[in-house]
Amino acid sequence: MITTLIILAVSAFFFAIGKIRSDIVALCALILLMSLGILTPEEALSGFSNSVVIMMVGLFVVGGAIFQTGLAKMISGRIMKLAGDSELRLFLLVMTVTSVIGAFVSNTGTVALMLPIVVSLAAKAGISAGRLLMPLAFASSLGGMLTLIGTPPNLVIQGVLSENGYAPLSFFSFTPVGLICIVIGIIVLLPLSKWLLVKKNDGDKDKEHKTKSLDELVREYRLDENLSRFVVGAGSKAKGKTVAELDVHNRYGLTVLEIRRETTRQKGIIKSVSQKLAGPNTIMQDGDIIYVIGEREQALRLAADYSLDIPSKAVSDGRADHESLDFYDIGIAEIVLLPTSRLVNRLLKESSFRSKYGINIIGIRRKGEYIMEGLPDVRLHGGDVLLVQGTWANISRLGRDEDDWVVLGQPLEEAAKVTLDYKAPLAACIMLLMIAMMVFDFIPVAPVTAVMIAGVLMVLTGCFRNVEAAYKTINWESVVLIAAMLPMSVALEKTGASALISHSLVSGLGAYGPFVLLAGIYFTTSLLTMFISNTATAVLMAPIALASATETGLSPYPFLFAVTLGASMCFASPFSTPPNALVMQAGRYTFMDYVKVGLPLQIIIGLVMVFVLPLLFPF
């Protein structure tokens, strides 16, 4: 017992100072418990097969898909309209929406659902995501107190009451308690999040501005102003012809940027978009969308000569709207020619960019001037910045050949930010399916199964560019942290440390009256939940609370509510609940951030509830 407590205390110390990564500290503690024979290998590794951990992995994938398809951006845009320019309204909306969802969906699922949305909200509002992500995690736990199914400890005390012959609680018996907790959370977190979580992401913003975004490149080279798009209709003269046969450059002075092919199935929900670089031998097909850059009059002349249709979304002059310029498969980037490059003083058409790399040059920046026309006959100079266009794979190849040029910025990182927005309706359907399976009891699917189904569907339906992109969304540090800390509860129970702590604290307070006993039960449960899962703590403390109430001749309801509150309202540690761990990396929080923000909230809720619970459920 003493050894287990020492390991726990040392782990908490290293968590607090933050000098070593939290997942490494948790793994070291786990190895010690196993090496000293306190836990068997099976017990020590049980956390890695725990349904909560598997669920976290799946939820990271689902959340990543929500972000990758742009669904998070769409939802956040709607919320931003409600919030306007007010950061206060934005904070209140995040807290309220998350709490309501948390009343019916597991707090882990709620955070995974809302996390990419809140990150998008923070980016649009120009504030640090760290200001909102910890309140998000806490709001999911606060909302869990609104209903019977909101959090597992609620079900634990319901079971204890029923097993001992007391009237069971109804679905909404928890609602008054939950509403009070949410109000307290908003009042406490609003100032604390401003004062203590303001330093996050500042360095990243500076770093991000060193790399031009794709939208910034589009605006700088005025691609959207000179871009036109046309559709090859059934009666078009371009149908069946190659790009070389159209001879758009020599006849019209235009450049064909891409050929896009779109297919839609299942009433618009399932949509596929294929972008192809326009090579000389690319054959025009019925329904192809052609993107050309150059003078508008010449573009319209091309459309008239070949009977090309103007899409309904484009304005009457054939100009493509800004949203039509997407970078799903084809991207753009800048490269700067070195003075020693073999291409210096050669004509662009002699550079072999197209034949060797499959790359088009669509613009040149030279001493602050932009050259967009007559590019094949432009003679290249050292220091020229070339705007290149090609598939993301071909652009990445350019970065490996640095003898003649240097790729500016991190184009592949920008590519990863491009949302597959045509998949957003499909991602929304999968997300709603997951929520339905988790909420409705008549669907015989366990929550972890629902999450796994949703995660795999997100990959199979193309909501990610590839499987590797899905794996990259998983925050392994958080997963390992939770998996390694879960067996700690087994060690504390196995050695008798949990029972000793609980009985000692509670029995010593019984003589001081019901309010002190109630406070003792809440804070004992709250303390244990910092090191043991909230469900395990509720299972351990509920019988003790019931016995304490029975021995003193008091109603067990306020004491059991103190247990579920103490187990669910644990905010002072990143590993006490999965939601806390889920936002740790995204918000760049340290262990002490949770202590500074979460501990005051945890204590204030306890102090208020000691006096409120007897009013709602008399002794």
Side-chain angles (χ1 to χ4, degrees):
M1 181 192 303
I2 301 298
T3 305
T4 303
L5 292 175
I6 291 173
I7 293 173
L8 181 59
V10 172
S11 300
F13 171 76
F14 280 108
F15 283 134
I17 62 174
K19 297 295 184 182
I20 304 175
R21 276 178 45 144
S22 54
D23 54 338
I24 300 299
V25 173
L27 281 173
C28 290
L30 185 66
I31 292 169
L32 279 173
L33 291 171
M34 189 165 43
S35 302
L36 297 172
I38 297 170
L39 293 177
T40 65
E42 291 76 15
E43 290 170 335
L45 300 176
S46 61
F48 290 91
S49 61
N50 189 284
S51 61
V52 171
V53 175
I54 303 301
M55 196 169 168
M56 281 181 65
V57 173
L59 288 169
F60 274 124
V61 174
V62 173
I66 292 171
F67 197 84
Q68 183 66 65
T69 58
L71 182 60
K73 189 180 292 184
M74 295 176 192
I75 298 173
S76 64
R78 300 288 177 85
I79 297 177
M80 277 299 293
K81 287 182 180 179
L82 295 174
D85 297 328
S86 171
E87 186 178 331
L88 173 61
R89 281 206 297 266
L90 178 58
F91 176 86
L92 293 175
L93 277 169
V94 169
M95 290 289 292
T96 304
V97 171
T98 306
S99 297
V100 171
I101 296 174
F104 303 97
V105 180
S106 73
N107 53 9
T108 309
T110 301
V111 171
L113 173 68
M114 289 294 294
L115 193 148
I117 297 171
V118 172
V119 170
S120 292
L121 278 171
K124 285 189 175 183
I127 64 174
S128 166
R131 291 268 289 274
L132 295 175
L133 289 179
M134 191 177 290
L136 165 70
F138 295 172
S140 70
S141 298
L142 294 167
M145 287 304 302
L146 289 170
T147 63
L148 176 65
I149 64 169
T151 183
N154 291 359
L155 296 171
V156 170
I157 68 167
Q158 168 82 317
V160 170
L161 287 168
S162 300
E163 289 169 8
N164 288 275
Y166 291 94
L169 299 164
S170 68
F171 189 84
F172 292 108
S173 294
F174 297 82
T175 304
V177 177
L179 289 173
I180 295 170
C181 287
I182 292 169
V183 171
I184 296 171
I186 291 173
I187 293 172
V188 174
L189 289 175
L190 183 59
L192 288 183
S193 62
K194 281 189 174 183
W195 297 337
L196 302 176
L197 301 177
V198 294
K199 63 182 184 299
K200 307 305 174 195
N201 298 337
D202 294 339
D204 281 320
K205 285 185 179 178
D206 294 335
K207 182 180 177 182
E208 285 173 7
H209 284 295
K210 293 178 182 177
T211 299
K212 293 177 185 176
S213 69
L214 295 172
D215 286 340
E216 287 172 338
L217 288 175
V218 168
R219 288 193 296 269
E220 181 179 343
Y221 286 85
R222 297 184 300 176
L223 296 181
D224 50 347
E225 296 179 14
N226 298 304
L227 184 72
S228 301
R229 62 184 176 128
F230 306 104
V231 178
V232 179
S236 174
K237 298 175 185 177
K239 184 178 177 182
K241 291 184 179 294
T242 64
V243 172
E245 289 172 336
L246 296 181
D247 196 20
V248 296
H249 180 71
N250 292 325
R251 291 182 59 189
Y252 305 97
L254 302 173
T255 301
V256 181
L257 289 183
E258 71 170 83
I259 308 294
R260 186 180 302 187
R261 289 167 185 163
E262 299 182 357
T263 57
T264 304
R265 304 189 303 277
Q266 300 298 322
K267 298 181 179 180
I269 295 176
I270 301 177
K271 184 177 180 181
S272 296
V273 175
S274 172
Q275 291 181 304
K276 295 184 180 298
L277 206 61
N281 299 320
T282 303
I283 299 175
M284 302 290 107
Q285 298 180 11
D286 186 15
D288 279 358
I289 303 175
I290 306 175
Y291 287 77
V292 298
I293 191 168
E295 290 185 7
R296 192 80 59 222
E297 291 181 4
Q298 295 299 321
L300 290 174
R301 192 162 70 88
L302 168 69
D305 290 347
Y306 287 98
S307 304
L308 298 173
D309 299 330
I310 298 177
S312 58
K313 289 183 180 179
V315 294
S316 59
D317 65 353
R319 176 182 173 183
D321 55 12
H322 179 64
E323 291 182 354
S324 68
L325 192 60
D326 297 310
F327 302 102
Y328 305 132
D329 306 314
I330 296 175
I332 55 176
E334 286 183 313
I335 64 173
V336 58
L337 288 184
L338 297 175
T340 56
S341 172
R342 59 180 174 80
L343 299 178
V344 172
N345 293 323
R346 296 179 66 177
L347 297 178
L348 181 60
K349 61 185 177 184
E350 300 171 350
S351 64
S352 303
F353 273 104
R354 175 75 203 186
S355 59
K356 187 174 181 181
Y357 294 99
I359 291 291
N360 286 334
I361 307 300
I362 58 176
I364 298 175
R365 175 161 56 92
R366 178 181 293 168
K367 297 179 180 179
E369 296 182 357
Y370 295 86
I371 306 170
M372 304 300 294
E373 297 178 6
L375 292 176
D377 298 318
V378 172
R379 196 170 295 277
L380 298 174
H381 296 175
D384 280 355
V385 178
L386 311 182
L387 183 66
V388 301
Q389 180 214 30
T391 64
W392 289 115
N394 285 341
I395 288 177
S396 69
R397 287 174 57 207
L398 286 177
R400 302 181 199 128
D401 190 351
E402 297 188 1
D403 293 336
D404 294 312
W405 56 74
V406 174
V407 177
L408 299 180
Q410 300 291 332
L412 293 186
E413 289 185 11
E414 288 299 317
K417 299 175 186 176
V418 176
T419 56
L420 307 176
D421 47 18
Y422 60 93
K423 291 287 186 181
L426 184 59
C429 290
I430 295 172
M431 180 186 72
L432 292 174
L433 174 66
M434 179 189 77
I435 292 173
M437 287 190 289
M438 295 173 73
V439 171
F440 298 114
D441 292 334
F442 62 84
I443 302 178
V445 176
V448 65
T449 308
V451 172
M452 290 177 68
I453 291 172
V456 172
L457 283 177
M458 290 293 191
V459 175
L460 293 179
T461 55
C463 293
F464 290 98
R465 295 182 185 281
N466 46 51
V467 179
E468 289 74 19
Y471 277 114
K472 287 179 181 178
T473 64
I474 301 171
N475 189 319
W476 293 108
E477 181 177 350
S478 298
V479 172
V480 172
L481 172 64
I482 292 292
M485 285 305 297
L486 282 174
M488 179 65 75
S489 62
V490 178
L492 290 172
E493 292 175 43
K494 191 175 180 181
T495 58
S498 298
L500 177 64
I501 294 170
S502 305
H503 284 295
S504 300
L505 287 174
V506 176
S507 61
L509 297 174
Y512 295 99
F515 285 97
V516 177
L517 179 59
L518 189 65
I521 289 175
Y522 173 86
F523 287 107
T524 300
T525 308
S526 188
L527 176 66
L528 289 176
T529 309
M530 291 181 65
F531 309 104
I532 311 175
S533 73
N534 58 358
T535 306
T537 304
V539 170
L540 177 69
M541 288 297 299
I544 297 173
L546 180 67
S548 300
T550 304
E551 289 175 14
T552 52
L554 301 171
S555 169
Y557 289 93
F559 295 96
L560 286 171
F561 264 91
V563 169
T564 192
L565 278 167
S568 302
M569 305 295 103
C570 192
F571 310 120
S573 163
F575 52 81
S576 55
T577 61
N580 292 2
L582 276 171
V583 301
M584 187 176 184
Q585 287 301 111
R588 305 205 168 184
Y589 301 127
T590 64
F591 183 92
M592 289 307 298
D593 286 329
Y594 288 88
V595 174
K596 289 186 292 185
V597 178
L599 186 58
L601 176 60
Q602 199 167 319
I603 292 172
I604 291 170
I605 287 178
L607 293 174
V608 172
M609 282 301 165
V610 165
F611 297 100
V612 170
L613 284 176
L615 297 177
L616 298 173
F617 307 95
F619 288 124

